[in-house]
Amino acid sequence: MPMRGLTIVVAQPDPDRWRAALTMACAAAALGGRTRVYLHEGAVALLATAATAPPGLPDPTELRAIAGESGVELIACQTGLALAGLAADTERVAAGGLIDLLATLADDRLVTL
């Protein structure tokens, strides 16, 4: 039986939640399921925030690269992109909204951080 997908919503601009979402997404992608991370409104600013990691662990930039290589889809709230002054194509993420995210959820598990 194929692995169920995982959709993670990052609801706040919290670097620890962002790191947890990326780590969880990479793990789910390694198991073969469709994996998406959606950054909601203010959380989109995390795309432009330089954050560090504890010694020996990858920082968020490295985690984003690993996620991309693993097939994790990153989606940024269109309103959040506008508020942060970012463009989806320059951040290697797709622009999207909650309606589309929920409409395409299918049988994915949904996690909110």
Side-chain angles (χ1 to χ4, degrees):
M1 176 177 212
M3 169 96 177
R4 285 178 58 196
L6 177 65
T7 296
I8 303 167
V9 176
V10 181
Q12 298 178 3
D14 180 324
D16 291 332
R17 290 174 190 252
W18 176 224
R19 179 176 181 67
L22 289 172
T23 302
M24 190 182 307
C26 289
L31 293 172
R34 173 179 83 154
T35 309
R36 305 182 298 173
V37 176
Y38 177 80
L39 293 153
H40 183 65
E41 293 181 356
V44 172
L46 292 165
L47 293 171
T49 303
T52 59
L57 296 176
D59 66 34
T61 302
E62 293 168 317
L63 278 174
R64 279 184 62 196
I66 294 167
E69 292 167 7
S70 301
V72 173
E73 181 182 358
L74 295 178
I75 306 165
C77 170
Q78 294 166 326
T79 301
L81 285 167
L83 291 171
L86 300 173
D89 58 348
T90 62
E91 297 300 328
R92 296 185 182 170
V93 299
L98 281 174
I99 292 172
D100 185 57
L101 187 79
L102 295 174
T104 59
L105 195 61
D107 68 344
D108 284 7
R109 291 159 295 167
L110 181 64
V111 174
T112 304
L113 297 175

